[in-house]
Amino acid sequence: MKSVEKAKVLRADFMQGHGKGYGKDALVRQQPGVRRRLTNQELTDLYATNAIVQNIIDIPAEDMTRNWFTLRMEDEKLKNDIMSKLSDLKAKEKFKKARSYERLYGDGFISLGVTQSSPFKLSDPLDVQKLKRVDYIHAFSGKKVNEFILNEDMFSPNYGQVEFFQVNRRSRLGQQIAGVTQDNVHASRLIHDQTRRLEDEYRGQPLLESLYDIITVLDTSLWSVGQILYDFAFKVYKSDSIVDMDAQEKYELGMIMDYMFRTEALAVIGKEEELTKETTNTTGIKDLLDYVWDYLSGAVRMPKTVIKGQEAGTITGAQYDVMNYYSRIVAMQENELKPNLERLIRLLLWSSDELGGVIDPDSLEWEIKFNPLWHVDSKTDAEIRKLVAETDQIYVTNGILTVDEVREARFGQFGLTNELKFSGDEADLERMAKEVYEAWKERGKNG
């Protein structure tokens, strides 16, 4: 019984008490379909203590905002003024933080600190006709929001939509702000980033909830590998005199020999004694660890090389999965980030004191165009150029294109150099990626 109790105390990994009824084994006792709801503190602790979790949360948010965007409009001065104001607001950093919060806690927010021509309360809708300035924006997480107050009037055009967010406005010292601890903030005064919401739930689902089991396995694999490395090589000492020693003598002998055999290369032992070195068998460990990484990669829809921190934006010929990842980021930019950016720019245009007067956003032709996310390495660049040149030769030979048309396409204003800095929305991206990948595989077969 004492040995069992001792094992219970000494084990600190998930296997503690396995088969004995002690502790809670997250793997052996798991049941498919049983949802684990993580508290904000549990989510924070997971993020704070696991570097891989940090990568999963932060890297896509960084990739979405890393190269920012170009604002296309005819009025160059107005365009430069808008981009300058966004820089003053530190919009790039704030939108990145909001997306990180959304991935971690399920909801990310950006508060809109504005000045209006008449007094207002935070519960009042933001009236663009009275907007003077956008003074600041702040990113914060769903931890600050206590309630989502929905419109439940089925005869309202906004039925089912969030009208107010009950925001906790306590200061760091716990003091009340403006005499209140909570404010009902109208939804129009916030930018809300939310991408995973289950039906009949109004808060977003934290990404880590669905990843909890695989993160547990990953954490356990790290602990197991550490134990294997620690015990990879160990010495075995055999002697007939051991049987006559009491527990204290064995303990003291073990301490002395452990110290000596770790610090001295020479062991002096008796004629009837034996000292051998044993190593841990690690056959099959790589396959098990690869399975863990493959499962995690599929669960978060990020290639292993990206999760592990590959150099941002660099693609090699064999990384078709990385190209797919960046294409997915482009889709997230267009579908999720772009509407929020457009809303902020519209508020700037409506502001009377910001850009030289009120400008109706609908009276202008303007567009947000995200800058390219990635480029290929020099080797892959050369392979793509070779494929393009061969394709052009076929077109010219068969009369599909003229030499002048090819020259303009490849070396004109938008030459081949720009063509290779894909943003992810080129029609032939998938075809070119496959051709380069197949060429890379064929070259590997031929040595």
Side-chain angles (χ1 to χ4, degrees):
M1 185 64 185
K2 290 184 178 179
S3 62
V4 173
E5 293 298 328
K6 184 177 181 182
K8 178 185 175 183
V9 173
L10 294 179
R11 292 200 69 93
D13 63 315
F14 82 99
M15 286 294 290
Q16 176 174 313
H18 172 58
K20 302 296 183 182
Y22 300 118
K24 294 182 179 179
D25 185 340
L27 297 181
V28 175
R29 300 176 185 275
Q30 68 179 347
Q31 297 179 18
V34 177
R35 181 177 176 184
R36 180 185 177 90
R37 295 178 182 269
L38 301 177
T39 66
N40 287 333
Q41 189 58 53
E42 287 174 325
L43 293 167
T44 300
D45 291 343
L46 275 173
Y47 178 85
T49 59
N50 192 313
I52 297 300
V53 169
Q54 293 176 13
N55 285 352
I56 291 170
I57 296 299
D58 292 335
I59 287 178
E62 292 170 359
D63 285 337
M64 285 181 68
T65 57
R66 171 165 38 90
N67 291 346
W68 211 215
F69 66 90
T70 299
L71 185 60
R72 295 183 176 181
M73 61 171 50
E74 291 185 4
D75 191 331
E76 285 291 324
K77 182 181 183 304
L78 178 59
K79 179 186 75 173
N80 293 334
D81 288 345
I82 292 174
M83 296 304 292
S84 177
K85 178 62 179 181
L86 292 176
S87 178
D88 292 341
L89 292 172
K90 296 181 173 58
K92 181 178 178 180
E93 177 66 20
K94 302 302 170 57
F95 275 91
K96 184 193 79 172
K97 283 186 176 181
R99 175 45 60 108
S100 291
Y101 290 144
E102 188 275 336
R103 291 175 68 82
L104 181 57
Y105 298 109
D107 294 280
F109 294 89
I110 293 178
S111 59
L112 301 170
V114 301
T115 297
Q116 295 182 200
S117 58
S118 61
F120 65 90
K121 296 183 295 184
L122 291 178
S123 57
D124 297 332
L126 198 159
D127 187 352
V128 295
Q129 302 296 333
K130 298 179 180 180
L131 192 59
K132 298 184 68 176
R133 292 186 304 277
V134 179
D135 299 305
Y136 59 85
I137 58 176
H138 294 312
F140 62 98
S141 74
K143 293 200 303 181
K144 299 285 188 180
V145 180
N146 298 325
E147 291 290 343
F148 289 30
I149 302 175
L150 281 75
N151 182 331
E152 298 186 17
D153 179 4
M154 63 287 297
F155 293 101
S156 168
N158 296 323
Y159 174 66
Q161 298 181 18
V162 178
E163 286 198 344
F164 301 95
F165 295 97
Q166 193 177 83
V167 179
N168 182 354
R169 299 184 65 215
R170 282 187 178 273
S171 71
R172 186 178 180 183
L173 298 177
Q175 298 172 342
Q176 295 182 5
I177 298 175
V180 297
T181 57
Q182 298 177 359
D183 264 332
N184 287 339
V185 179
H186 196 274
S188 62
R189 297 189 178 275
L190 296 169
I191 292 175
H192 183 200
D193 189 8
Q194 182 190 79
T195 63
R196 292 173 309 281
R197 181 172 68 85
L198 301 178
E199 188 177 9
D200 297 328
E201 294 185 10
Y202 305 111
R203 286 186 177 272
Q205 183 186 23
L207 181 62
L208 300 183
E209 276 192 358
S210 60
L211 300 177
Y212 188 81
D213 285 346
I214 185 58
I215 290 173
T216 301
V217 174
L218 184 69
D219 192 51
T220 302
S221 68
L222 177 62
W223 180 89
S224 300
V225 170
Q227 292 297 107
I228 290 173
L229 292 175
Y230 184 79
D231 296 328
F232 185 76
F234 57 95
K235 297 180 177 66
V236 177
Y237 175 68
K238 297 180 180 179
S239 174
D240 291 338
S241 61
I242 297 294
V243 297
D244 297 325
M245 293 183 180
D246 58 28
Q248 182 62 27
E249 290 174 331
K250 290 179 182 179
Y251 175 78
E252 292 178 356
L253 177 63
M255 292 288 290
I256 294 173
M257 296 185 71
D258 181 68
Y259 172 77
M260 294 300 296
F261 291 156
R262 289 178 185 273
T263 58
E264 302 290 342
L266 176 65
V268 180
I269 61 177
K271 180 180 178 181
E272 303 300 326
E273 296 170 342
E274 180 182 355
L275 179 65
T276 59
K277 178 184 287 189
E278 302 291 338
T279 58
T280 301
N281 184 0
T282 60
T283 303
I285 292 296
K286 183 181 183 302
D287 293 334
L288 291 173
L289 295 179
D290 285 345
Y291 169 78
V292 174
W293 277 107
D294 288 340
Y295 188 96
L296 179 65
S297 175
V300 299
R301 305 181 71 187
M302 295 171 62
K304 290 181 286 185
T305 50
V306 174
I307 297 175
K308 294 176 182 179
Q310 171 183 285
E311 182 182 355
T314 301
I315 309 296
T316 64
Q319 292 180 303
Y320 185 47
D321 54 342
V322 178
M323 297 170 102
N324 281 336
Y325 164 74
Y326 280 117
S327 295
R328 190 173 300 118
I329 292 295
V330 169
M332 293 164 64
Q333 287 178 324
E334 290 291 331
N335 298 330
E336 299 160 11
L337 179 59
K338 188 174 183 177
N340 291 333
L341 284 171
E342 287 178 340
R343 182 171 172 229
L344 179 57
I345 292 174
R346 284 176 172 274
L347 292 178
L348 293 177
L349 291 170
W350 278 117
S351 300
S352 60
D353 295 352
E354 289 287 9
L355 305 170
V358 176
I359 303 173
D360 183 354
D362 296 327
S363 67
L364 301 172
E365 290 188 8
W366 57 283
E367 178 189 13
I368 289 176
K369 186 68 175 178
F370 290 100
N371 295 322
L373 286 172
W374 55 274
H375 62 277
V376 296
D377 65 351
S378 58
K379 189 175 184 180
T380 308
D381 178 87
E383 292 173 343
I384 294 176
R385 289 174 183 273
K386 182 175 182 294
L387 289 170
V388 171
E390 291 172 350
T391 303
D392 288 343
Q393 184 179 11
I394 294 173
Y395 287 160
V396 172
T397 302
N398 290 277
I400 298 173
L401 293 175
T402 66
V403 174
D404 289 339
E405 288 173 333
V406 171
R407 181 184 297 111
E408 177 62 24
R410 304 306 175 213
F411 305 103
Q413 180 180 3
F414 303 103
L416 189 60
T417 299
N418 290 332
E419 220 173 74
L420 297 185
K421 294 179 181 178
F422 298 108
S423 63
D425 56 356
E426 283 76 4
D428 62 344
L429 171 61
E430 184 171 348
R431 175 190 60 79
M432 188 170 292
K434 287 182 177 179
E435 289 177 353
V436 173
Y437 185 42
E438 292 300 324
W440 178 86
K441 288 198 301 184
E442 189 64 28
R443 187 176 65 249
K445 292 179 182 178
N446 298 331

